[in-house]
Amino acid sequence: MSELDLGLKVAARRLLWRMGYTTRIDVQLRSVGGVATASAGSPRRSAGAESFTDLDVLGLTISGGYRVESAIVDCKTTAKGSTGRMFWVRGVADLFAADAAYMLRETDVSHAARQLANRLHITALNSKELAQAEAFHPSDLPLNSGPVSWLFDRDKTQKVLHAFSGLDGRLRELRDYREFDYWVGEEYRSLTQIVEQLRLSSRLLSPRNPHHVSLVIDFAWLYTVSLTHAIENIRKAYISDLDLGLSQYILGGPNGFSEKKELSKMLAHLSQNGAIPQDVYVDPLPSYHSRLLELTARLQRRPAHILSALRLLEVGAFTAALKEKISAPTDTGALYDEVGAKLAADVVNFLVTTSDLDSGFTARARSILLGEEFVDPESVKSR
Amino acid sequence: MDKFDEGLRCQDVHAGLRNVNPNSGVLVPLAGTQMIGMAASVAALVRGLDVVSDAQALRAVAAEQLDVSPYAFDNVIRSLADLEFIQGVVYESDRVVRFTETVPFYDDLYGRLGEAWREKQPTDLEEQMVIAVDRLAESPVPVEELASRAGLDSTDLPRLIEIGAQSQLIKTIEVSGGLVAYSPFFGFENPALLAELIRDHGPAQIADAFAAVVGEQGLPVESANKVLIDAVGRGLILAPAVELPGGTLQPFATLPYSLDSTLLRSRKPVLEKALAVVACLRCGQHFGGYNNLSAAGLINVIDKLLDPNRGYLNPRGEHERQYRLMHRSGLIAFGPDLRHGGTWVTPRFIDTTDNREALGIARDLLSQGQQIEGRGGGDEARKILELGAPYTAPMQTLNRMKNKPNIDDKSWQAVIDKALGRGAR
């Protein structure tokens, strides 16, 4: 990551916030590792993960029908190569299926690049034009006072990015999933993979470590995005039968649902005959399916609050990573939405309970999101 | 009794006790059960609110609408918090002022309440009362048989009946052979007639006949069923009649069980409309000829009428006769045939609050009948057996050929998680 570009990135983030997005800086896209390859004369062997590219700033918003719309921003301090870069941005936008793409340059955008902007559906801006674009999107959010303004502070952003990259090496798999694999994997699998990834690291995560609290809240952000994708998918065919819709979705659609059910029946049969230990769980749906169903139902009933939930999680994760505190939820001004905050807390609680994380994470998150007094569950137990 | 029934009957107990002076000593032995019943009512009230930011307003609403005593409110909230249905309870000077809720939409609400009731270690009297209320929800039972039929201790029965009577949970009626107990939640037209009926037919026949009606609300009254004919003839139970194709009138017996006492008294017209719907649809189910409605079709008709974007049924030749009772009840209007030149009527729903409620009640009565029969489970079990058979033999052969590998549970779970797509990566 070029630190020179960070000033532009946080400025782009602020524009996206004004435009109604929840954001993320430096999203890495890379290939899936472990895929076997072969070349002439050499045996087949596994390849490591390779980087495709990265998105400097990603913006997500929820439109009608629970559709997650995305915008990507490419930020560079120099105008050099901006013409060719337009084609690169278009390719990345297509790879990511982004609905909008921006190319941001500090000084200027080349004349040729501006001619390409309309043809390639990319918005090209220099730093001065960025300020004008911001002025065209007035906002009642407290963008100039903490904690919301911290998101647009270059030094604080640097600190937060370092907090995540400097996590305990034993959390590498969890960190890699959050940083890379989540963004390139099939969307439907995220609902189960996030839970499993957190479960694998549950013993290493402590609610007393603010960076871990930030990580868990950030995973809740990812999970809320995945749930919104799920709801968009489910409501197309099963708006009145959420249970069936969710079951099909998490098993990869009608074919996957049918295949997994058949496989599960075979495994159950083997289990009954003693070929598989009786205690092994062979149901096609995860053991926490009923809780996931309840959570999905809650979000489905509150489409107008999902974006608020995501933005509050974004601010909450950022604040925790900075080891700062939000003294009262109302410090977030017009951003504060008690239903949105409660839904965000529900997602955190779901991840904590299904991934066997310390219940202190829920207490911490509720304190940040809902302003509840933090009571350490460990201290209650020891009384 | 399973946990679901226990949770459900705790709510019945609370509903019955709503008619008793809240300061009465009668309530003391049933206090724990009443608390769970109140919790069920409050849980249903707050479900879906997400954030209750003015719990004192809720306290007033719960007192007014659900008869949850303002003094019991804080304990009810504590019970719901113990069940993890609510979180983040904020107190100010010991008063609950705010909380968030996650009352389940799909999970078994009553099952978990029943579990909580068990964990609170109910007294023998509470257990017996819940069992008795559950048993009486099926049909009236002679008091002397109640102990054996419900599996109660006969020595405790007099006290149970006495407290049940005082707390309005069990009603009794004198018959020549003794007392007959029945539930006040049944919509009997004239309970005094119950005694005559039992005297003439015997308690066992009455219990069987009534249980059959509860099992299928809108049961066609057949000429061979002397007990039911007599019960309808004397006016003990409601049996709206629908005209059959041959011109004869066919009664359909109903025995509504409702915790809402106003539905049995001041708002009885709503209940009567619901029973008219049940009768008309059962007629379509049993006497529709080649057009017989399926069990799912009954619910489908109601859903079509309730659908604000539809609200009508496609015209058919038999509709004017079959739905005449609903027409006379003011539930539907008969519009002109939708087809050009057609002469049949188009039943159109008259969309009022009462009519919507009546259709909702009818839907519950019909679907509850289907659930009791439990046909779905049987079909599913058969299907599993059919699918399981073909691969049984190869697996056994393989098992004989190879030594069984010694793999521990954890490894198996990892393999299966991967196979089912649940693995981490």
Side-chain angles (χ1 to χ4, degrees), chain A residues 173 181 193 196-197 242 265 274 277 280-281 283 294 298 301-302 338 342 366 372, chain B residues 48-50 88 98 100-107 387 404 409 412-413 422 425:
Chain A
E173 198 175 339
D181 300 337
Q193 286 195 331
E196 295 308 322
Q197 290 291 350
L242 186 61
K265 277 179 193 166
V280 173
Y281 182 78
D283 197 277
E294 295 290 345
R298 292 225 163 243
R301 296 178 69 256
R302 301 285 196 179
E338 64 177 7
K342 188 267 180 181
R366 289 185 72 92
E372 289 175 8
Chain B
L49 292 179
D50 284 309
R98 168 193 170 84
T100 62
E101 65 80 28
T102 48
V103 179
F105 291 103
Y106 293 88
D107 204 5
L387 285 171
K404 195 173 172 183
D409 289 17
W412 264 113
Q413 190 65 66
R422 289 195 302 253
R425 259 196 307 160

mmCIF file of all heavy atoms in Angstrom, chain A residues 173 181 193 196-197 242 265 274 277 280-281 283 294 298 301-302 338 342 366 372, chain B residues 48-50 88 98 100-107 387 404 409 412-413 422 425:
data_model
loop_
_atom_site.group_PDB
_atom_site.id
_atom_site.type_symbol
_atom_site.label_atom_id
_atom_site.label_comp_id
_atom_site.label_asym_id
_atom_site.label_seq_id
_atom_site.Cartn_x
_atom_site.Cartn_y
_atom_site.Cartn_z
ATOM 1 N N GLU A 173 -4.723 -17.149 9.418
ATOM 2 C CA GLU A 173 -5.757 -17.712 8.549
ATOM 3 C C GLU A 173 -7.031 -16.865 8.594
ATOM 4 O O GLU A 173 -7.664 -16.592 7.571
ATOM 5 C CB GLU A 173 -6.067 -19.147 8.973
ATOM 6 C CG GLU A 173 -6.778 -19.907 7.878
ATOM 7 C CD GLU A 173 -6.996 -21.373 8.215
ATOM 8 O OE1 GLU A 173 -6.279 -21.911 9.083
ATOM 9 O OE2 GLU A 173 -7.892 -21.973 7.617
ATOM 10 N N ASP A 181 -9.906 -13.895 1.019
ATOM 11 C CA ASP A 181 -10.790 -14.959 0.539
ATOM 12 C C ASP A 181 -12.262 -14.573 0.532
ATOM 13 O O ASP A 181 -13.024 -15.021 -0.325
ATOM 14 C CB ASP A 181 -10.587 -16.234 1.371
ATOM 15 C CG ASP A 181 -9.155 -16.725 1.274
ATOM 16 O OD1 ASP A 181 -8.496 -16.374 0.281
ATOM 17 O OD2 ASP A 181 -8.686 -17.413 2.192
ATOM 18 N N GLN A 193 -18.870 -19.893 6.167
ATOM 19 C CA GLN A 193 -17.410 -19.813 6.309
ATOM 20 C C GLN A 193 -16.969 -18.817 7.375
ATOM 21 O O GLN A 193 -16.009 -19.075 8.103
ATOM 22 C CB GLN A 193 -16.785 -19.453 4.965
ATOM 23 C CG GLN A 193 -16.814 -20.641 4.008
ATOM 24 C CD GLN A 193 -15.912 -20.440 2.824
ATOM 25 O OE1 GLN A 193 -15.690 -19.309 2.410
ATOM 26 N NE2 GLN A 193 -15.411 -21.523 2.280
ATOM 27 N N GLU A 196 -17.217 -20.520 10.633
ATOM 28 C CA GLU A 196 -16.180 -21.539 10.832
ATOM 29 C C GLU A 196 -14.803 -20.905 11.030
ATOM 30 O O GLU A 196 -14.010 -21.377 11.862
ATOM 31 C CB GLU A 196 -16.138 -22.502 9.637
ATOM 32 C CG GLU A 196 -17.393 -23.338 9.468
ATOM 33 C CD GLU A 196 -17.790 -24.070 10.738
ATOM 34 O OE1 GLU A 196 -16.907 -24.551 11.462
ATOM 35 O OE2 GLU A 196 -19.002 -24.142 11.012
ATOM 36 N N GLN A 197 -14.503 -19.852 10.272
ATOM 37 C CA GLN A 197 -13.213 -19.196 10.437
ATOM 38 C C GLN A 197 -13.062 -18.617 11.837
ATOM 39 O O GLN A 197 -12.013 -18.739 12.470
ATOM 40 C CB GLN A 197 -13.049 -18.078 9.397
ATOM 41 C CG GLN A 197 -12.878 -18.572 7.972
ATOM 42 C CD GLN A 197 -11.547 -19.277 7.742
ATOM 43 O OE1 GLN A 197 -10.660 -19.245 8.574
ATOM 44 N NE2 GLN A 197 -11.423 -19.944 6.612
ATOM 45 N N LEU A 242 -39.153 -18.155 4.070
ATOM 46 C CA LEU A 242 -37.767 -17.798 4.341
ATOM 47 C C LEU A 242 -36.925 -19.026 4.682
ATOM 48 O O LEU A 242 -35.759 -19.122 4.290
ATOM 49 C CB LEU A 242 -37.731 -16.789 5.493
ATOM 50 C CG LEU A 242 -36.383 -16.187 5.839
ATOM 51 C CD1 LEU A 242 -35.819 -15.421 4.666
ATOM 52 C CD2 LEU A 242 -36.493 -15.275 7.044
ATOM 53 N N LYS A 265 -28.582 -37.915 3.777
ATOM 54 C CA LYS A 265 -29.367 -39.124 4.076
ATOM 55 C C LYS A 265 -28.470 -40.360 4.048
ATOM 56 O O LYS A 265 -28.599 -41.250 4.874
ATOM 57 C CB LYS A 265 -30.491 -39.284 3.048
ATOM 58 C CG LYS A 265 -31.718 -38.469 3.371
ATOM 59 C CD LYS A 265 -32.765 -38.670 2.302
ATOM 60 C CE LYS A 265 -33.860 -37.624 2.442
ATOM 61 N NZ LYS A 265 -34.717 -37.567 1.266
ATOM 62 N N GLY A 274 -23.663 -47.718 12.177
ATOM 63 C CA GLY A 274 -22.445 -47.748 12.971
ATOM 64 C C GLY A 274 -21.174 -47.485 12.183
ATOM 65 O O GLY A 274 -20.072 -47.573 12.730
ATOM 66 N N PRO A 277 -19.530 -42.651 13.610
ATOM 67 C CA PRO A 277 -19.959 -42.487 15.009
ATOM 68 C C PRO A 277 -21.286 -41.724 15.105
ATOM 69 O O PRO A 277 -21.513 -40.778 14.345
ATOM 70 C CB PRO A 277 -18.809 -41.681 15.626
ATOM 71 C CG PRO A 277 -17.628 -41.975 14.761
ATOM 72 C CD PRO A 277 -18.147 -42.194 13.389
ATOM 73 N N VAL A 280 -21.562 -37.830 15.332
ATOM 74 C CA VAL A 280 -21.131 -36.940 14.240
ATOM 75 C C VAL A 280 -22.365 -36.313 13.590
ATOM 76 O O VAL A 280 -23.323 -36.997 13.268
ATOM 77 C CB VAL A 280 -20.303 -37.727 13.203
ATOM 78 C CG1 VAL A 280 -20.011 -36.867 11.992
ATOM 79 C CG2 VAL A 280 -19.005 -38.191 13.835
ATOM 80 N N TYR A 281 -22.325 -34.995 13.425
ATOM 81 C CA TYR A 281 -23.462 -34.235 12.908
ATOM 82 C C TYR A 281 -23.479 -34.335 11.385
ATOM 83 O O TYR A 281 -22.545 -33.889 10.713
ATOM 84 C CB TYR A 281 -23.293 -32.776 13.365
ATOM 85 C CG TYR A 281 -24.403 -31.856 12.950
ATOM 86 C CD1 TYR A 281 -25.622 -31.849 13.622
ATOM 87 C CD2 TYR A 281 -24.226 -30.965 11.901
ATOM 88 C CE1 TYR A 281 -26.632 -30.992 13.250
ATOM 89 C CE2 TYR A 281 -25.232 -30.099 11.521
ATOM 90 C CZ TYR A 281 -26.433 -30.120 12.194
ATOM 91 O OH TYR A 281 -27.431 -29.256 11.817
ATOM 92 N N ASP A 283 -26.393 -33.559 9.390
ATOM 93 C CA ASP A 283 -27.469 -32.790 8.776
ATOM 94 C C ASP A 283 -26.875 -31.869 7.706
ATOM 95 O O ASP A 283 -25.790 -31.327 7.901
ATOM 96 C CB ASP A 283 -28.176 -31.964 9.851
ATOM 97 C CG ASP A 283 -29.523 -31.471 9.386
ATOM 98 O OD1 ASP A 283 -29.575 -30.434 8.708
ATOM 99 O OD2 ASP A 283 -30.511 -32.149 9.699
ATOM 100 N N GLU A 294 -33.572 -16.923 12.287
ATOM 101 C CA GLU A 294 -34.124 -15.821 13.096
ATOM 102 C C GLU A 294 -33.436 -14.504 12.748
ATOM 103 O O GLU A 294 -34.084 -13.468 12.606
ATOM 104 C CB GLU A 294 -33.934 -16.114 14.591
ATOM 105 C CG GLU A 294 -34.688 -17.318 15.123
ATOM 106 C CD GLU A 294 -36.191 -17.105 15.185
ATOM 107 O OE1 GLU A 294 -36.639 -15.960 15.086
ATOM 108 O OE2 GLU A 294 -36.907 -18.126 15.297
ATOM 109 N N ARG A 298 -34.993 -11.079 11.010
ATOM 110 C CA ARG A 298 -34.913 -9.739 11.632
ATOM 111 C C ARG A 298 -34.437 -8.707 10.614
ATOM 112 O O ARG A 298 -34.988 -7.622 10.523
ATOM 113 C CB ARG A 298 -33.957 -9.755 12.820
ATOM 114 C CG ARG A 298 -34.471 -10.568 13.945
ATOM 115 C CD ARG A 298 -34.330 -9.907 15.299
ATOM 116 N NE ARG A 298 -35.232 -10.633 16.167
ATOM 117 C CZ ARG A 298 -36.268 -10.103 16.769
ATOM 118 N NH1 ARG A 298 -36.516 -8.826 16.633
ATOM 119 N NH2 ARG A 298 -37.050 -10.828 17.521
ATOM 120 N N ARG A 301 -36.968 -7.872 7.841
ATOM 121 C CA ARG A 301 -38.089 -7.024 8.248
ATOM 122 C C ARG A 301 -37.704 -5.550 8.336
ATOM 123 O O ARG A 301 -38.557 -4.698 8.509
ATOM 124 C CB ARG A 301 -38.618 -7.479 9.612
ATOM 125 C CG ARG A 301 -39.198 -8.880 9.613
ATOM 126 C CD ARG A 301 -39.652 -9.303 10.987
ATOM 127 N NE ARG A 301 -40.815 -8.565 11.417
ATOM 128 C CZ ARG A 301 -40.808 -7.582 12.295
ATOM 129 N NH1 ARG A 301 -39.680 -7.196 12.846
ATOM 130 N NH2 ARG A 301 -41.910 -6.966 12.620
ATOM 131 N N ARG A 302 -36.405 -5.252 8.290
ATOM 132 C CA ARG A 302 -35.960 -3.873 8.510
ATOM 133 C C ARG A 302 -35.042 -3.380 7.393
ATOM 134 O O ARG A 302 -33.896 -2.979 7.650
ATOM 135 C CB ARG A 302 -35.192 -3.798 9.840
ATOM 136 C CG ARG A 302 -35.971 -4.232 11.056
ATOM 137 C CD ARG A 302 -36.957 -3.186 11.448
ATOM 138 N NE ARG A 302 -37.441 -3.420 12.816
ATOM 139 C CZ ARG A 302 -38.308 -2.629 13.413
ATOM 140 N NH1 ARG A 302 -38.774 -1.568 12.789
ATOM 141 N NH2 ARG A 302 -38.709 -2.888 14.635
ATOM 142 N N GLU A 338 -31.348 3.662 16.458
ATOM 143 C CA GLU A 338 -31.338 2.621 17.495
ATOM 144 C C GLU A 338 -31.717 1.246 16.959
ATOM 145 O O GLU A 338 -31.189 0.234 17.424
ATOM 146 C CB GLU A 338 -32.182 3.015 18.710
ATOM 147 C CG GLU A 338 -33.643 3.187 18.469
ATOM 148 C CD GLU A 338 -34.392 3.511 19.754
ATOM 149 O OE1 GLU A 338 -33.741 3.736 20.797
ATOM 150 O OE2 GLU A 338 -35.633 3.527 19.704
ATOM 151 N N LYS A 342 -29.217 -1.894 17.022
ATOM 152 C CA LYS A 342 -29.650 -3.154 17.637
ATOM 153 C C LYS A 342 -29.453 -4.323 16.661
ATOM 154 O O LYS A 342 -29.012 -5.416 17.043
ATOM 155 C CB LYS A 342 -31.113 -3.028 18.068
ATOM 156 C CG LYS A 342 -31.643 -4.193 18.880
ATOM 157 C CD LYS A 342 -32.300 -5.201 18.002
ATOM 158 C CE LYS A 342 -32.833 -6.365 18.806
ATOM 159 N NZ LYS A 342 -33.447 -7.370 17.940
ATOM 160 N N ARG A 366 -22.160 -4.327 22.305
ATOM 161 C CA ARG A 366 -23.389 -3.631 22.715
ATOM 162 C C ARG A 366 -23.047 -2.307 23.378
ATOM 163 O O ARG A 366 -23.782 -1.332 23.255
ATOM 164 C CB ARG A 366 -24.228 -4.524 23.638
ATOM 165 C CG ARG A 366 -24.875 -5.690 22.927
ATOM 166 C CD ARG A 366 -25.794 -6.482 23.844
ATOM 167 N NE ARG A 366 -27.016 -5.786 24.165
ATOM 168 C CZ ARG A 366 -28.160 -5.892 23.486
ATOM 169 N NH1 ARG A 366 -28.221 -6.683 22.435
ATOM 170 N NH2 ARG A 366 -29.229 -5.215 23.848
ATOM 171 N N GLU A 372 -24.688 0.659 26.015
ATOM 172 C CA GLU A 372 -24.977 -0.018 27.287
ATOM 173 C C GLU A 372 -23.716 -0.052 28.140
ATOM 174 O O GLU A 372 -22.602 -0.146 27.619
ATOM 175 C CB GLU A 372 -25.447 -1.451 27.022
ATOM 176 C CG GLU A 372 -26.830 -1.497 26.410
ATOM 177 C CD GLU A 372 -27.247 -2.908 26.023
ATOM 178 O OE1 GLU A 372 -26.533 -3.865 26.353
ATOM 179 O OE2 GLU A 372 -28.293 -3.036 25.378
ATOM 180 N N GLY B 48 -40.621 -8.572 17.320
ATOM 181 C CA GLY B 48 -40.478 -7.780 16.097
ATOM 182 C C GLY B 48 -40.266 -6.297 16.328
ATOM 183 O O GLY B 48 -39.991 -5.560 15.397
ATOM 184 N N LEU B 49 -40.373 -5.861 17.588
ATOM 185 C CA LEU B 49 -40.160 -4.427 17.853
ATOM 186 C C LEU B 49 -38.680 -4.063 17.813
ATOM 187 O O LEU B 49 -38.319 -2.906 17.661
ATOM 188 C CB LEU B 49 -40.733 -4.041 19.224
ATOM 189 C CG LEU B 49 -42.261 -4.085 19.390
ATOM 190 C CD1 LEU B 49 -42.655 -3.689 20.816
ATOM 191 C CD2 LEU B 49 -42.936 -3.146 18.404
ATOM 192 N N ASP B 50 -37.808 -5.009 18.044
ATOM 193 C CA ASP B 50 -36.351 -4.827 18.105
ATOM 194 C C ASP B 50 -35.925 -4.008 19.323
ATOM 195 O O ASP B 50 -35.197 -4.492 20.170
ATOM 196 C CB ASP B 50 -35.771 -4.207 16.825
ATOM 197 C CG ASP B 50 -35.706 -5.213 15.699
ATOM 198 O OD1 ASP B 50 -35.161 -6.296 15.925
ATOM 199 O OD2 ASP B 50 -36.218 -4.940 14.614
ATOM 200 N N GLY B 88 -30.095 -6.398 27.204
ATOM 201 C CA GLY B 88 -29.800 -4.982 27.459
ATOM 202 C C GLY B 88 -30.868 -4.268 28.259
ATOM 203 O O GLY B 88 -31.239 -3.135 27.918
ATOM 204 N N ARG B 98 -35.957 0.309 29.467
ATOM 205 C CA ARG B 98 -35.630 0.086 28.058
ATOM 206 C C ARG B 98 -35.000 -1.295 27.892
ATOM 207 O O ARG B 98 -34.361 -1.800 28.799
ATOM 208 C CB ARG B 98 -34.640 1.182 27.681
ATOM 209 C CG ARG B 98 -33.919 1.067 26.407
ATOM 210 C CD ARG B 98 -32.755 2.059 26.352
ATOM 211 N NE ARG B 98 -31.962 1.729 25.186
ATOM 212 C CZ ARG B 98 -32.239 2.158 23.972
ATOM 213 N NH1 ARG B 98 -33.228 2.988 23.782
ATOM 214 N NH2 ARG B 98 -31.516 1.770 22.939
ATOM 215 N N THR B 100 -33.846 -4.406 24.471
ATOM 216 C CA THR B 100 -33.974 -4.857 23.079
ATOM 217 C C THR B 100 -34.490 -6.289 23.115
ATOM 218 O O THR B 100 -34.309 -6.989 24.111
ATOM 219 C CB THR B 100 -32.624 -4.820 22.333
ATOM 220 O OG1 THR B 100 -31.710 -5.711 22.978
ATOM 221 C CG2 THR B 100 -32.045 -3.423 22.320
ATOM 222 N N GLU B 101 -35.145 -6.685 22.031
ATOM 223 C CA GLU B 101 -35.732 -8.035 22.043
ATOM 224 C C GLU B 101 -35.262 -8.875 20.869
ATOM 225 O O GLU B 101 -34.976 -8.335 19.795
ATOM 226 C CB GLU B 101 -37.263 -7.952 22.060
ATOM 227 C CG GLU B 101 -37.911 -7.338 20.836
ATOM 228 C CD GLU B 101 -38.051 -8.229 19.635
ATOM 229 O OE1 GLU B 101 -38.149 -9.451 19.793
ATOM 230 O OE2 GLU B 101 -38.023 -7.706 18.505
ATOM 231 N N THR B 102 -35.185 -10.180 21.092
ATOM 232 C CA THR B 102 -34.942 -11.144 20.001
ATOM 233 C C THR B 102 -35.874 -12.342 20.195
ATOM 234 O O THR B 102 -35.449 -13.488 20.161
ATOM 235 C CB THR B 102 -33.478 -11.622 19.965
ATOM 236 O OG1 THR B 102 -33.091 -11.996 21.287
ATOM 237 C CG2 THR B 102 -32.531 -10.583 19.440
ATOM 238 N N VAL B 103 -37.148 -12.049 20.407
ATOM 239 C CA VAL B 103 -38.137 -13.134 20.561
ATOM 240 C C VAL B 103 -38.193 -13.884 19.223
ATOM 241 O O VAL B 103 -38.332 -13.252 18.178
ATOM 242 C CB VAL B 103 -39.533 -12.564 20.908
ATOM 243 C CG1 VAL B 103 -40.544 -13.690 21.043
ATOM 244 C CG2 VAL B 103 -39.469 -11.744 22.190
ATOM 245 N N PRO B 104 -38.039 -15.208 19.247
ATOM 246 C CA PRO B 104 -37.929 -15.933 17.971
ATOM 247 C C PRO B 104 -39.187 -15.870 17.116
ATOM 248 O O PRO B 104 -40.301 -15.920 17.640
ATOM 249 C CB PRO B 104 -37.636 -17.369 18.407
ATOM 250 C CG PRO B 104 -38.059 -17.454 19.825
ATOM 251 C CD PRO B 104 -37.927 -16.092 20.404
ATOM 252 N N PHE B 105 -38.967 -15.760 15.802
ATOM 253 C CA PHE B 105 -40.078 -15.814 14.850
ATOM 254 C C PHE B 105 -40.364 -17.264 14.471
ATOM 255 O O PHE B 105 -41.496 -17.646 14.279
ATOM 256 C CB PHE B 105 -39.726 -15.059 13.561
ATOM 257 C CG PHE B 105 -39.628 -13.577 13.733
ATOM 258 C CD1 PHE B 105 -38.400 -12.956 13.800
ATOM 259 C CD2 PHE B 105 -40.769 -12.804 13.843
ATOM 260 C CE1 PHE B 105 -38.303 -11.591 13.945
ATOM 261 C CE2 PHE B 105 -40.682 -11.436 13.990
ATOM 262 C CZ PHE B 105 -39.440 -10.821 14.044
ATOM 263 N N TYR B 106 -39.312 -18.023 14.322
ATOM 264 C CA TYR B 106 -39.464 -19.390 13.806
ATOM 265 C C TYR B 106 -39.226 -20.445 14.879
ATOM 266 O O TYR B 106 -39.801 -21.514 14.831
ATOM 267 C CB TYR B 106 -38.483 -19.646 12.650
ATOM 268 C CG TYR B 106 -38.794 -18.836 11.442
ATOM 269 C CD1 TYR B 106 -38.264 -17.556 11.286
ATOM 270 C CD2 TYR B 106 -39.646 -19.319 10.469
ATOM 271 C CE1 TYR B 106 -38.573 -16.791 10.173
ATOM 272 C CE2 TYR B 106 -39.956 -18.563 9.352
ATOM 273 C CZ TYR B 106 -39.414 -17.304 9.207
ATOM 274 O OH TYR B 106 -39.719 -16.556 8.112
ATOM 275 N N ASP B 107 -38.327 -20.166 15.788
ATOM 276 C CA ASP B 107 -37.997 -21.163 16.797
ATOM 277 C C ASP B 107 -39.223 -21.404 17.675
ATOM 278 O O ASP B 107 -40.160 -20.602 17.687
ATOM 279 C CB ASP B 107 -36.813 -20.661 17.646
ATOM 280 C CG ASP B 107 -36.063 -21.812 18.278
ATOM 281 O OD1 ASP B 107 -36.410 -22.963 17.974
ATOM 282 O OD2 ASP B 107 -35.157 -21.561 19.082
ATOM 283 N N LEU B 387 -36.073 -44.138 -0.114
ATOM 284 C CA LEU B 387 -34.789 -43.683 -0.642
ATOM 285 C C LEU B 387 -33.623 -44.427 0.010
ATOM 286 O O LEU B 387 -32.587 -44.635 -0.593
ATOM 287 C CB LEU B 387 -34.615 -42.174 -0.395
ATOM 288 C CG LEU B 387 -35.447 -41.280 -1.307
ATOM 289 C CD1 LEU B 387 -35.368 -39.848 -0.833
ATOM 290 C CD2 LEU B 387 -34.936 -41.373 -2.739
ATOM 291 N N LYS B 404 -12.801 -51.967 9.061
ATOM 292 C CA LYS B 404 -13.339 -50.648 9.382
ATOM 293 C C LYS B 404 -12.203 -49.757 9.880
ATOM 294 O O LYS B 404 -11.520 -50.111 10.835
ATOM 295 C CB LYS B 404 -14.397 -50.810 10.469
ATOM 296 C CG LYS B 404 -15.256 -49.607 10.637
ATOM 297 C CD LYS B 404 -16.372 -49.952 11.607
ATOM 298 C CE LYS B 404 -17.132 -48.724 11.950
ATOM 299 N NZ LYS B 404 -18.173 -49.035 12.931
ATOM 300 N N ASP B 409 -14.144 -39.275 16.138
ATOM 301 C CA ASP B 409 -15.313 -38.433 15.861
ATOM 302 C C ASP B 409 -14.921 -37.117 15.204
ATOM 303 O O ASP B 409 -15.557 -36.635 14.277
ATOM 304 C CB ASP B 409 -16.057 -38.111 17.163
ATOM 305 C CG ASP B 409 -16.768 -39.326 17.701
ATOM 306 O OD1 ASP B 409 -16.430 -40.440 17.262
ATOM 307 O OD2 ASP B 409 -17.649 -39.154 18.557
ATOM 308 N N TRP B 412 -14.023 -37.487 11.574
ATOM 309 C CA TRP B 412 -15.230 -37.728 10.799
ATOM 310 C C TRP B 412 -15.981 -36.423 10.569
ATOM 311 O O TRP B 412 -16.453 -36.135 9.490
ATOM 312 C CB TRP B 412 -16.151 -38.708 11.542
ATOM 313 C CG TRP B 412 -15.975 -40.122 11.094
ATOM 314 C CD1 TRP B 412 -15.482 -41.154 11.811
ATOM 315 C CD2 TRP B 412 -16.281 -40.666 9.805
ATOM 316 N NE1 TRP B 412 -15.459 -42.301 11.066
ATOM 317 C CE2 TRP B 412 -15.952 -42.024 9.823
ATOM 318 C CE3 TRP B 412 -16.801 -40.121 8.631
ATOM 319 C CZ2 TRP B 412 -16.127 -42.858 8.733
ATOM 320 C CZ3 TRP B 412 -16.977 -40.949 7.526
ATOM 321 C CH2 TRP B 412 -16.639 -42.302 7.595
ATOM 322 N N GLN B 413 -16.100 -35.650 11.652
ATOM 323 C CA GLN B 413 -16.850 -34.394 11.564
ATOM 324 C C GLN B 413 -16.197 -33.467 10.533
ATOM 325 O O GLN B 413 -16.868 -32.823 9.746
ATOM 326 C CB GLN B 413 -16.915 -33.710 12.929
ATOM 327 C CG GLN B 413 -17.889 -32.531 12.977
ATOM 328 C CD GLN B 413 -19.328 -32.972 12.765
ATOM 329 O OE1 GLN B 413 -19.896 -33.682 13.584
ATOM 330 N NE2 GLN B 413 -19.919 -32.583 11.651
ATOM 331 N N ARG B 422 -19.444 -27.069 4.649
ATOM 332 C CA ARG B 422 -19.450 -26.241 5.851
ATOM 333 C C ARG B 422 -18.054 -25.962 6.372
ATOM 334 O O ARG B 422 -17.890 -25.293 7.367
ATOM 335 C CB ARG B 422 -20.249 -26.935 6.962
ATOM 336 C CG ARG B 422 -21.739 -26.972 6.747
ATOM 337 C CD ARG B 422 -22.419 -27.333 8.057
ATOM 338 N NE ARG B 422 -21.955 -28.601 8.565
ATOM 339 C CZ ARG B 422 -22.678 -29.722 8.557
ATOM 340 N NH1 ARG B 422 -23.880 -29.713 8.066
ATOM 341 N NH2 ARG B 422 -22.189 -30.836 9.049
ATOM 342 N N ARG B 425 -12.365 -23.723 4.902
ATOM 343 C CA ARG B 425 -11.912 -23.407 3.546
ATOM 344 C C ARG B 425 -11.535 -24.670 2.814
ATOM 345 O O ARG B 425 -11.085 -25.605 3.431
ATOM 346 C CB ARG B 425 -10.700 -22.485 3.577
ATOM 347 C CG ARG B 425 -11.087 -21.062 3.302
ATOM 348 C CD ARG B 425 -9.892 -20.205 2.944
ATOM 349 N NE ARG B 425 -8.841 -20.292 3.942
ATOM 350 C CZ ARG B 425 -7.559 -19.952 3.673
ATOM 351 N NH1 ARG B 425 -7.216 -19.580 2.469
ATOM 352 N NH2 ARG B 425 -6.638 -19.993 4.601
#
